[in-house]
Coordinates of all heavy atoms in Angstrom, one line a residue:
M1 N 17.4 91.4 153.9 CA 17.8 92.3 152.8 C 17.3 91.6 151.4 O 16.7 92.2 150.7 CB 19.3 92.5 152.7 CG 19.8 93.7 153.4 SD 18.9 95.2 153.4 CE 19.9 96.1 152.1
G2 N 17.6 90.5 151.4 CA 17.4 89.7 150.2 C 15.9 89.6 149.9 O 15.4 89.7 148.8
S3 N 15.2 89.4 151.0 CA 13.7 89.4 150.9 C 13.1 90.7 150.4 O 12.1 90.8 149.7 CB 13.0 88.8 152.1 OG 13.1 89.8 153.0
M4 N 13.7 91.9 150.8 CA 13.4 93.1 150.6 C 13.5 93.3 149.0 O 12.4 93.8 148.4 CB 14.0 94.3 151.3 CG 13.6 94.6 152.5 SD 11.8 95.1 152.6 CE 12.1 96.9 152.0
S5 N 14.6 93.1 148.4 CA 14.8 93.3 147.0 C 13.9 92.3 146.3 O 13.5 92.8 145.2 CB 16.3 93.3 146.7 OG 16.7 91.8 147.0
R6 N 13.6 91.1 146.8 CA 12.7 90.3 146.1 C 11.4 90.8 146.0 O 10.6 90.8 145.0 CB 12.7 88.9 146.8 CG 11.9 87.9 146.1 CD 12.0 86.6 146.8 NE 10.7 85.8 146.8 CZ 10.4 85.1 145.7 NH1 11.3 85.0 144.8 NH2 9.3 84.4 145.7
R7 N 11.0 91.5 147.2 CA 9.6 92.1 147.2 C 9.5 93.3 146.2 O 8.6 93.4 145.6 CB 9.2 92.5 148.7 CG 7.8 93.0 148.9 CD 7.5 93.3 150.4 NE 8.0 92.2 151.2 CZ 8.4 92.4 152.5 NH1 8.6 93.6 152.9 NH2 8.7 91.6 153.2
D8 N 10.6 94.0 146.1 CA 10.6 95.1 145.2 C 10.5 94.6 143.7 O 9.7 95.2 143.1 CB 11.8 95.9 145.4 CG 11.9 96.7 146.7 OD1 10.8 96.8 147.3 OD2 13.0 97.2 147.1
L9 N 11.1 93.6 143.5 CA 11.1 93.1 142.2 C 9.7 92.5 141.8 O 9.2 92.8 140.8 CB 12.2 91.8 142.1 CG 12.0 91.1 140.8 CD1 12.6 92.0 139.7 CD2 12.8 89.8 140.8
L10 N 9.0 92.0 142.8 CA 7.8 91.3 142.7 C 6.8 92.5 142.4 O 5.9 92.5 141.6 CB 7.2 90.5 143.9 CG 7.9 89.2 143.9 CD1 7.5 88.4 145.1 CD2 7.6 88.3 142.8
R11 N 7.0 93.5 143.2 CA 6.2 94.8 143.0 C 6.2 95.3 141.8 O 5.3 95.8 141.0 CB 6.4 95.7 144.2 CG 5.4 97.0 144.2 CD 5.9 98.0 145.3 NE 5.8 97.3 146.7 CZ 6.6 97.7 147.7 NH1 7.7 98.5 147.4 NH2 6.6 97.0 148.9
G12 N 7.4 95.4 141.2 CA 7.8 96.0 139.9 C 7.1 95.0 138.9 O 6.5 95.6 138.0
L13 N 7.1 93.8 139.1 CA 6.5 92.8 138.1 C 5.0 93.1 138.0 O 4.5 93.2 137.1 CB 6.8 91.5 138.4 CG 8.3 90.9 138.1 CD1 8.5 89.7 138.5 CD2 8.6 91.0 136.6
A14 N 4.4 93.3 139.3 CA 3.0 93.5 139.3 C 2.6 94.8 138.7 O 1.5 94.7 137.9 CB 2.6 93.6 140.9
T15 N 3.4 95.8 138.9 CA 3.1 97.1 138.2 C 3.1 97.0 136.6 O 2.2 97.4 136.0 CB 4.2 98.2 138.7 OG1 4.1 98.3 140.0 CG2 3.8 99.6 138.0
G16 N 4.1 96.2 136.2 CA 4.2 95.8 134.8 C 3.0 95.2 134.3 O 2.4 95.5 133.2
A17 N 2.5 94.2 135.2 CA 1.4 93.2 134.6 C 0.1 94.2 134.6 O -0.8 94.1 133.8 CB 1.1 92.2 135.7
V18 N -0.1 95.2 135.6 CA -1.1 96.1 135.6 C -1.1 96.9 134.5 O -2.1 97.1 133.7 CB -1.2 96.9 136.8 CG1 -2.2 98.1 136.7 CG2 -1.6 96.2 138.0
L19 N 0.1 97.6 133.9 CA 0.1 98.3 132.8 C -0.2 97.5 131.7 O -0.8 98.0 130.7 CB 1.6 99.0 132.8 CG 1.9 100.0 133.8 CD1 3.3 100.4 133.7 CD2 0.9 101.2 133.7
A20 N 0.3 96.4 131.5 CA 0.1 95.5 130.5 C -1.4 95.2 130.3 O -1.9 95.2 129.1 CB 0.8 94.2 130.5
G21 N -2.1 95.0 131.4 CA -3.6 94.8 131.4 C -4.2 96.0 130.8 O -5.2 95.9 130.0
V22 N -3.8 97.2 131.2 CA -4.5 98.5 130.7 C -4.4 98.4 129.1 O -5.2 98.9 128.4 CB -3.9 99.7 131.4 CG1 -4.3 101.0 130.6 CG2 -4.1 99.7 132.8
A23 N -3.1 98.2 128.8 CA -2.8 98.2 127.3 C -3.8 97.2 126.5 O -4.3 97.6 125.4 CB -1.4 97.8 127.0
T24 N -4.1 96.1 127.1 CA -5.0 95.2 126.5 C -6.5 95.8 126.5 O -7.3 95.1 125.8 CB -4.9 93.8 127.0 OG1 -5.2 93.8 128.4 CG2 -3.5 93.2 126.8
L25 N -6.8 96.6 127.3 CA -8.1 97.2 127.4 C -8.5 98.2 126.3 O -9.5 98.7 126.2 CB -8.5 97.7 128.7 CG -8.6 96.7 129.9 CD1 -8.7 97.4 131.2 CD2 -9.8 95.9 129.8
Q26 N -7.4 98.5 125.4 CA -7.8 99.4 124.4 C -8.9 98.9 123.5 O -9.1 97.7 123.5 CB -6.5 99.6 123.5 CG -5.4 100.3 124.3 CD -5.7 101.7 124.7 OE1 -6.2 102.5 124.1 NE2 -5.4 101.9 126.1
P27 N -9.7 99.8 122.8 CA -10.8 99.4 122.0 C -10.1 98.4 120.9 O -9.0 98.6 120.5 CB -11.2 100.7 121.3 CG -10.6 101.7 122.1 CD -9.4 101.3 122.8
E28 N -11.0 97.5 120.4 CA -10.7 96.7 119.4 C -10.0 97.5 118.2 O -10.6 98.5 117.8 CB -11.7 95.7 118.8 CG -12.6 96.3 118.0 CD -13.8 97.0 118.6 OE1 -13.9 97.3 119.8 OE2 -14.9 97.2 118.0
P29 N -9.0 96.9 117.5 CA -8.3 97.7 116.5 C -9.5 98.0 115.3 O -10.3 97.2 114.9 CB -7.2 96.9 115.9 CG -7.3 95.7 116.8 CD -8.4 95.7 117.8
A30 N -9.4 99.2 114.8 CA -10.3 99.5 113.7 C -9.9 98.8 112.4 O -8.7 98.4 112.4 CB -10.4 100.9 113.5
R31 N -10.7 98.5 111.5 CA -10.4 97.9 110.3 C -9.3 98.9 109.7 O -9.3 100.0 109.8 CB -11.5 97.6 109.4 CG -12.2 96.4 109.9 CD -13.7 96.4 109.4 NE -14.4 97.6 110.1 CZ -15.1 98.5 109.4 NH1 -15.2 98.4 108.2 NH2 -15.6 99.6 110.1
A32 N -8.4 98.3 108.8 CA -7.3 99.1 108.2 C -7.9 100.2 107.4 O -7.4 101.3 107.3 CB -6.5 98.1 107.3
A33 N -9.0 100.0 106.7 CA -9.7 101.0 105.9 C -10.0 102.3 106.7 O -10.1 103.4 106.2 CB -10.9 100.4 105.3
D34 N -10.3 102.0 108.0 CA -10.6 103.2 108.9 C -9.5 103.9 109.4 O -9.5 105.0 109.8 CB -11.4 102.6 110.1 CG -12.9 102.6 109.8 OD1 -13.4 102.8 108.7 OD2 -13.6 102.1 110.7
G35 N -8.3 103.2 109.6 CA -7.2 103.9 110.4 C -7.5 103.6 111.8 O -8.5 103.4 112.3
P36 N -6.4 103.8 112.6 CA -6.6 103.6 114.1 C -7.6 104.6 114.6 O -7.7 105.7 114.3 CB -5.3 103.8 114.6 CG -4.5 104.5 113.6 CD -5.1 104.3 112.4
P37 N -8.4 104.3 115.7 CA -9.3 105.3 116.4 C -8.5 106.3 117.1 O -7.5 106.1 117.6 CB -10.0 104.3 117.4 CG -9.2 103.2 117.7 CD -8.4 103.0 116.4
I38 N -9.1 107.5 116.9 CA -8.4 108.6 117.6 C -9.0 108.6 119.1 O -10.1 108.2 119.3 CB -8.8 110.0 117.0 CG1 -8.1 111.2 117.7 CG2 -10.3 110.3 117.0 CD1 -7.4 112.1 116.8
S39 N -8.1 108.8 119.9 CA -8.4 108.8 121.4 C -9.0 110.2 121.9 O -8.5 111.2 121.3 CB -7.1 108.5 122.1 OG -7.3 108.8 123.6
E40 N -10.0 110.1 122.7 CA -10.4 111.4 123.3 C -9.2 112.1 124.0 O -9.4 113.4 124.1 CB -11.5 111.0 124.4 CG -12.9 110.5 123.8 CD -13.8 110.3 124.9 OE1 -13.7 110.5 126.1 OE2 -15.0 109.8 124.4
S41 N -8.3 111.5 124.4 CA -7.2 112.1 125.1 C -6.1 112.7 124.2 O -5.1 113.4 124.5 CB -6.6 111.3 126.2 OG -6.2 110.2 125.6
D42 N -6.4 112.4 122.9 CA -5.4 112.9 121.8 C -5.4 114.5 121.9 O -6.7 114.9 121.9 CB -5.6 112.4 120.5 CG -4.6 112.7 119.4 OD1 -4.4 113.9 119.1 OD2 -4.1 111.8 118.9
P43 N -4.4 115.2 121.8 CA -4.5 116.7 121.9 C -5.4 117.3 120.7 O -6.1 118.2 120.9 CB -2.9 117.1 121.7 CG -2.3 116.0 122.2 CD -3.0 114.8 122.0
A44 N -5.4 116.7 119.6 CA -6.3 117.1 118.4 C -7.6 116.9 118.7 O -8.4 117.6 118.3 CB -5.8 116.2 117.2
A45 N -7.9 115.7 119.5 CA -9.3 115.4 119.7 C -9.8 116.4 120.9 O -10.8 116.9 120.8 CB -9.4 114.0 120.2
K46 N -8.9 116.5 121.9 CA -9.2 117.5 123.0 C -9.5 119.0 122.4 O -10.4 119.6 123.0 CB -8.0 117.6 123.9 CG -8.1 116.4 125.0 CD -7.1 116.6 126.0 CE -7.3 115.7 127.2 NZ -6.4 115.9 128.2
A47 N -8.7 119.4 121.4 CA -8.9 120.7 121.0 C -10.2 121.0 120.4 O -10.8 122.1 120.3 CB -7.9 120.9 119.8
V48 N -11.0 120.0 119.9 CA -12.3 120.1 119.3 C -13.2 119.4 120.3 O -14.5 119.1 119.8 CB -12.3 119.5 117.9 CG1 -11.6 120.4 116.9 CG2 -12.0 118.1 117.8
K49 N -12.9 119.0 121.5 CA -13.8 118.5 122.5 C -14.5 117.1 121.9 O -15.6 116.9 122.2 CB -14.9 119.4 122.9 CG -14.3 120.7 123.4 CD -15.6 121.6 124.0 CE -15.0 122.7 124.7 NZ -14.8 124.0 123.7
Y50 N -13.6 116.3 121.2 CA -14.2 115.1 120.7 C -14.5 114.1 121.7 O -13.9 113.9 122.7 CB -13.2 114.4 119.7 CG -13.6 113.1 119.3 CD1 -14.7 112.8 118.5 CD2 -12.8 112.0 119.8 CE1 -15.0 111.4 118.1 CE2 -13.3 110.6 119.5 CZ -14.3 110.5 118.7 OH -14.5 109.2 118.2
V51 N -15.7 113.5 121.7 CA -16.1 112.4 122.6 C -16.7 111.2 121.8 O -17.1 111.6 120.7 CB -17.2 112.8 123.6 CG1 -16.6 113.8 124.7 CG2 -18.4 113.6 123.0
E52 N -16.5 110.0 122.3 CA -16.9 108.9 121.5 C -18.4 108.6 121.6 O -19.0 107.8 121.0 CB -16.1 107.6 122.0 CG -14.7 107.7 121.6 CD -13.9 106.5 122.1 OE1 -14.4 105.7 122.9 OE2 -12.7 106.3 121.6
D53 N -19.0 109.3 122.6 CA -20.5 109.1 122.9 C -21.0 110.6 122.9 O -20.9 111.4 123.8 CB -20.8 108.6 124.1 CG -22.2 108.3 124.4 OD1 -22.9 108.7 123.7 OD2 -22.6 107.7 125.4
A54 N -21.8 110.9 121.8 CA -22.4 112.3 121.7 C -23.2 112.7 122.8 O -23.3 113.8 123.1 CB -23.2 112.4 120.3
K55 N -23.7 111.7 123.5 CA -24.6 112.0 124.6 C -23.9 112.7 125.8 O -24.4 113.1 126.6 CB -25.4 110.7 125.1 CG -26.3 110.2 124.2 CD -27.2 109.0 124.8 CE -27.8 108.1 123.8 NZ -26.8 107.1 123.3
Q56 N -22.5 112.3 125.7 CA -21.7 113.0 126.9 C -21.1 114.3 126.4 O -20.5 114.9 127.2 CB -20.4 112.0 127.2 CG -20.8 110.5 127.3 CD -21.7 110.4 128.5 OE1 -21.5 111.0 129.5 NE2 -22.8 109.4 128.5
A57 N -21.4 114.8 125.2 CA -20.8 116.0 124.7 C -21.6 117.1 125.3 O -22.9 117.1 125.4 CB -21.1 116.0 123.1
K58 N -20.8 118.2 125.7 CA -21.5 119.3 126.2 C -21.6 120.3 125.0 O -20.5 120.6 124.3 CB -20.5 120.0 127.4 CG -20.4 119.2 128.6 CD -19.7 119.7 129.5 CE -19.6 118.9 130.9 NZ -18.7 117.8 130.6
G59 N -22.7 120.8 124.7 CA -22.8 121.8 123.6 C -23.2 121.1 122.2 O -23.3 122.0 121.3
A60 N -23.4 119.9 122.2 CA -23.8 119.2 121.0 C -25.3 119.5 120.7 O -26.2 119.3 121.6 CB -23.6 117.7 121.1
A61 N -25.7 119.9 119.5 CA -27.0 120.0 119.1 C -27.7 118.6 119.2 O -27.0 117.7 118.8 CB -27.0 120.6 117.7
P62 N -28.9 118.6 119.7 CA -29.6 117.3 119.9 C -29.5 116.5 118.5 O -29.9 117.0 117.5 CB -31.0 117.7 120.2 CG -30.9 119.0 120.9 CD -29.8 119.8 120.2
G63 N -29.2 115.3 118.6 CA -29.3 114.3 117.4 C -27.9 114.5 116.5 O -27.8 113.8 115.4
S64 N -27.1 115.4 116.8 CA -25.8 115.6 116.0 C -24.9 114.6 116.4 O -24.5 114.6 117.6 CB -25.2 117.0 116.0 OG -24.9 117.4 117.4
T65 N -24.3 113.8 115.5 CA -23.3 112.8 115.9 C -22.4 112.7 114.7 O -22.6 113.3 113.5 CB -23.9 111.4 116.0 OG1 -24.5 110.9 114.7 CG2 -24.9 111.3 117.1
C66 N -21.2 112.1 114.8 CA -20.2 112.0 113.7 C -20.9 111.4 112.5 O -20.7 111.8 111.3 CB -19.1 111.1 114.1 SG -18.0 111.9 115.4
A67 N -21.8 110.5 112.6 CA -22.5 109.7 111.6 C -23.2 110.7 110.7 O -23.5 110.4 109.5 CB -23.5 108.7 112.0
N68 N -23.8 111.9 111.3 CA -24.4 112.8 110.3 C -23.7 114.0 110.2 O -24.3 115.1 109.9 CB -25.9 112.9 110.8 CG -26.0 113.6 112.2 OD1 -25.1 114.1 112.7 ND2 -27.1 113.3 112.9
C69 N -22.4 113.9 110.3 CA -21.6 115.2 110.2 C -21.0 115.3 108.8 O -20.7 114.2 108.2 CB -20.4 115.1 111.2 SG -19.1 116.4 110.9
A70 N -20.9 116.4 108.2 CA -20.4 116.5 106.8 C -18.9 116.2 106.7 O -18.5 115.8 105.6 CB -20.6 118.0 106.4
L71 N -18.2 116.1 107.8 CA -16.8 115.7 107.7 C -16.6 114.3 108.0 O -15.4 113.8 107.8 CB -16.1 116.6 108.8 CG -16.2 118.0 108.6 CD1 -15.6 118.8 109.8 CD2 -15.5 118.6 107.2
Y72 N -17.6 113.5 108.2 CA -17.4 112.2 108.5 C -17.4 111.3 107.1 O -18.1 111.6 106.2 CB -18.6 111.6 109.3 CG -18.8 110.1 109.7 CD1 -17.7 109.7 110.5 CD2 -19.7 109.3 109.1 CE1 -17.7 108.4 111.0 CE2 -19.6 107.9 109.6 CZ -18.7 107.5 110.5 OH -18.8 106.2 110.9
Q73 N -16.4 110.3 107.1 CA -16.4 109.6 105.8 C -16.6 108.1 106.0 O -16.4 107.3 105.1 CB -15.0 109.7 105.4 CG -14.6 111.3 105.0 CD -13.2 111.4 104.5 OE1 -12.2 110.9 105.1 NE2 -13.0 112.3 103.5
G74 N -17.2 107.7 107.0 CA -17.5 106.3 107.3 C -18.8 105.9 106.5 O -19.6 106.7 106.0
K75 N -18.9 104.5 106.3 CA -19.9 104.0 105.6 C -21.2 103.9 106.5 O -21.0 104.0 107.6 CB -19.6 102.6 105.1 CG -18.6 102.3 104.1 CD -18.8 101.0 103.4 CE -17.7 100.9 102.4 NZ -16.4 100.3 102.9
E76 N -22.3 104.2 105.8 CA -23.6 104.2 106.6 C -23.7 102.8 107.3 O -23.4 101.7 106.9 CB -24.7 104.2 105.4 CG -26.1 104.1 106.1 CD -26.9 105.4 105.8 OE1 -26.6 106.0 104.7 OE2 -27.8 105.6 106.4
G77 N -24.0 103.0 108.6 CA -24.2 101.8 109.4 C -22.9 101.2 110.1 O -23.0 100.4 111.0
A78 N -21.9 101.8 109.7 CA -20.5 101.4 110.3 C -20.4 102.0 111.6 O -20.8 103.0 111.9 CB -19.3 101.9 109.4
R79 N -19.7 101.3 112.5 CA -19.4 101.8 114.0 C -18.5 102.9 114.0 O -18.5 103.7 114.8 CB -19.1 100.6 114.8 CG -19.3 100.8 116.4 CD -18.7 99.6 117.1 NE -17.2 99.8 117.3 CZ -16.6 100.7 118.2 NH1 -17.4 101.5 119.0 NH2 -15.4 100.7 118.2
T80 N -17.5 102.8 113.1 CA -16.5 104.0 113.1 C -16.2 104.4 111.5 O -16.6 103.7 110.7 CB -15.2 103.4 113.7 OG1 -14.6 102.3 112.9 CG2 -15.4 103.0 115.1
G81 N -15.6 105.4 111.5 CA -15.3 105.9 110.0 C -14.2 107.1 110.1 O -14.0 107.5 111.2
L82 N -13.6 107.3 109.0 CA -12.5 108.3 109.0 C -13.3 109.7 109.2 O -14.4 110.0 108.9 CB -11.8 108.4 107.7 CG -10.9 107.2 107.5 CD1 -10.3 107.1 106.0 CD2 -9.8 107.2 108.5
C83 N -12.5 110.6 109.7 CA -13.1 112.0 109.8 C -11.9 112.8 109.1 O -10.8 112.8 109.4 CB -13.3 112.3 111.3 SG -13.4 114.2 111.6
Q84 N -12.4 113.9 108.4 CA -11.5 114.8 107.7 C -10.7 115.6 108.6 O -9.6 116.0 108.2 CB -12.3 115.7 106.7 CG -12.9 115.0 105.6 CD -13.8 115.9 104.8 OE1 -13.3 116.9 104.3 NE2 -15.0 115.4 104.4
I85 N -11.1 115.8 109.8 CA -10.3 116.7 110.7 C -9.1 116.0 111.4 O -8.3 116.5 112.0 CB -11.0 117.6 111.6 CG1 -11.8 116.8 112.7 CG2 -11.9 118.5 110.9 CD1 -12.3 117.7 113.9
F86 N -9.3 114.5 111.3 CA -8.2 113.7 112.0 C -7.7 112.8 110.8 O -8.0 111.7 110.7 CB -8.8 112.9 113.1 CG -9.6 113.6 114.2 CD1 -10.8 113.3 114.6 CD2 -8.9 114.6 114.9 CE1 -11.4 114.2 115.6 CE2 -9.4 115.3 115.9 CZ -10.7 115.1 116.1
P87 N -6.7 113.3 110.0 CA -6.3 112.5 108.9 C -5.7 111.1 109.3 O -4.8 111.0 110.2 CB -5.2 113.4 108.3 CG -5.5 114.8 108.7 CD -6.2 114.6 110.1
G88 N -6.2 110.1 108.7 CA -5.8 108.8 108.9 C -6.3 108.1 110.3 O -5.9 106.9 110.6
K89 N -7.1 109.0 110.9 CA -7.7 108.4 112.2 C -9.3 108.1 112.0 O -9.9 108.9 111.3 CB -7.5 109.3 113.5 CG -5.9 109.5 113.7 CD -5.4 108.4 114.6 CE -3.9 108.5 114.8 NZ -3.6 109.6 115.9
S90 N -9.8 107.1 112.7 CA -11.2 106.9 112.6 C -11.9 107.6 113.9 O -11.2 107.6 115.0 CB -11.5 105.4 112.6 OG -11.1 104.8 113.8
V91 N -13.1 107.9 113.8 CA -14.0 108.3 114.9 C -15.1 107.4 115.1 O -15.5 106.6 114.2 CB -14.4 109.7 114.7 CG1 -13.2 110.8 114.6 CG2 -15.3 109.9 113.4
V92 N -15.7 107.4 116.2 CA -17.0 106.6 116.5 C -18.2 107.4 115.8 O -18.2 108.4 116.0 CB -17.2 106.4 117.9 CG1 -18.4 105.5 118.2 CG2 -15.9 105.7 118.6
A93 N -19.0 106.5 115.1 CA -20.1 107.1 114.4 C -21.0 107.9 115.3 O -21.7 108.7 115.1 CB -20.8 106.0 113.7
A94 N -21.1 107.3 116.7 CA -21.9 107.9 117.7 C -21.2 109.0 118.4 O -21.9 109.5 119.4 CB -22.4 106.8 118.6
G95 N -20.1 109.4 118.1 CA -19.3 110.4 118.7 C -19.9 111.8 118.2 O -20.7 112.0 117.5
W96 N -18.9 112.8 118.7 CA -19.3 114.1 118.3 C -18.1 115.1 118.6 O -17.4 114.6 119.5 CB -20.5 114.6 119.1 CG -21.0 116.1 118.9 CD1 -21.8 116.5 117.9 CD2 -20.3 117.3 119.6 NE1 -21.9 117.8 118.0 CE2 -21.0 118.4 118.9 CE3 -19.5 117.5 120.6 CZ2 -20.8 119.6 119.4 CZ3 -19.2 118.9 121.0 CH2 -19.9 119.9 120.4
C97 N -17.9 116.1 118.0 CA -16.9 117.0 118.4 C -17.4 118.4 118.0 O -18.4 118.6 117.3 CB -15.6 116.8 117.7 SG -15.3 117.6 116.1
A98 N -16.7 119.5 118.4 CA -17.1 120.9 118.3 C -17.1 121.3 116.8 O -17.6 122.4 116.5 CB -16.4 121.7 119.2
S99 N -16.4 120.6 116.0 CA -16.4 121.0 114.6 C -17.4 120.3 113.7 O -17.4 120.4 112.5 CB -15.0 120.4 113.9 OG -13.9 121.2 114.6
W100 N -18.4 119.7 114.4 CA -19.5 119.0 113.7 C -20.2 120.0 112.8 O -20.4 121.3 113.1 CB -20.6 118.6 114.7 CG -21.8 117.9 114.0 CD1 -21.9 116.6 113.8 CD2 -23.1 118.5 113.7 NE1 -23.1 116.4 113.1 CE2 -23.8 117.5 113.0 CE3 -23.5 119.8 113.6 CZ2 -25.0 117.7 112.6 CZ3 -24.7 120.0 113.1 CH2 -25.5 119.0 112.5
A101 N -20.4 119.6 111.5 CA -21.0 120.4 110.5 C -22.2 119.7 109.8 O -22.0 118.5 109.7 CB -19.9 120.9 109.5
P102 N -23.2 120.4 109.6 CA -24.4 119.7 109.0 C -24.0 119.3 107.5 O -23.4 120.0 106.8 CB -25.5 120.7 109.0 CG -24.9 122.0 109.1 CD -23.5 121.8 109.9
Q103 N -24.6 118.0 107.2 CA -24.4 117.6 105.8 C -25.4 118.5 105.0 O -26.5 118.8 105.3 CB -24.8 116.2 105.7 CG -23.8 115.2 106.4 CD -24.3 113.8 106.5 OE1 -25.5 113.5 106.4 NE2 -23.4 112.9 106.7
I104 N -24.8 118.7 103.7 CA -25.7 119.7 102.9 C -26.5 118.7 101.7 O -25.9 117.9 101.2 CB -24.8 120.7 102.1 CG1 -24.0 121.4 103.1 CG2 -25.7 121.6 101.3 CD1 -22.9 122.3 102.6
Ligands
SF4_201 FE1 -17.3 113.6 114.3 FE2 -17.7 115.6 112.5 FE3 -16.2 116.1 114.7 FE4 -15.2 114.5 112.8 S1 -15.8 116.8 112.6 S2 -15.1 114.2 115.0 S3 -17.0 113.4 112.1 S4 -18.4 115.6 114.6

């Protein structure tokens, strides 16, 4: 009996360690000026089919990425930047979403 509960405890600890490992696999924190990166699984991101890699986007016009979107606010050459449709959150310059709009 005692060994069973000890095994359960160890299993619980192992699960916790796995979850902690997943947590540390998150992308590196964006610089404060950018705000935290929006996740592709965020409901707001899903609503506009946001992806971090425009090449994976279905329906993206060839060559369209966040970096050349009218709603992107990142600096030229930066890996990430703020996007007007995700207030306070950053997007990947190489990403894309269905709200992509050409710069005028
Ligand atoms: Fe990227 Fe533009 Fe969509 Fe924002 S609106 S996520 S900058 S494509």
Side-chain angles (χ1 to χ4, degrees):
M1 272 314 264
S3 67
M4 275 301 285
S5 57
R6 180 178 151 79
R7 193 175 303 151
D8 287 347
L9 174 66
L10 288 174
R11 191 177 298 140
L13 288 174
T15 306
V18 168
L19 290 177
V22 169
T24 59
L25 285 175
Q26 295 299 312
E28 80 269 18
R31 284 157 295 127
D34 272 2
I38 186 133
S39 162
E40 288 181 3
S41 57
D42 187 296
K46 280 187 157 176
V48 291
K49 304 188 175 80
Y50 168 72
V51 288
E52 293 181 348
D53 180 0
K55 294 190 201 82
Q56 309 298 322
K58 293 183 182 75
S64 59
T65 64
C66 291
N68 59 24
C69 171
L71 302 169
Y72 183 66
Q73 299 178 313
K75 289 202 183 84
E76 177 120 22
R79 201 185 78 80
T80 61
L82 292 173
C83 164
Q84 291 179 45
I85 67 168
F86 303 126
K89 298 275 178 77
S90 65
V91 296
V92 178
W96 180 88
C97 90
S99 293
W100 182 88
Q103 291 171 337
I104 308 167

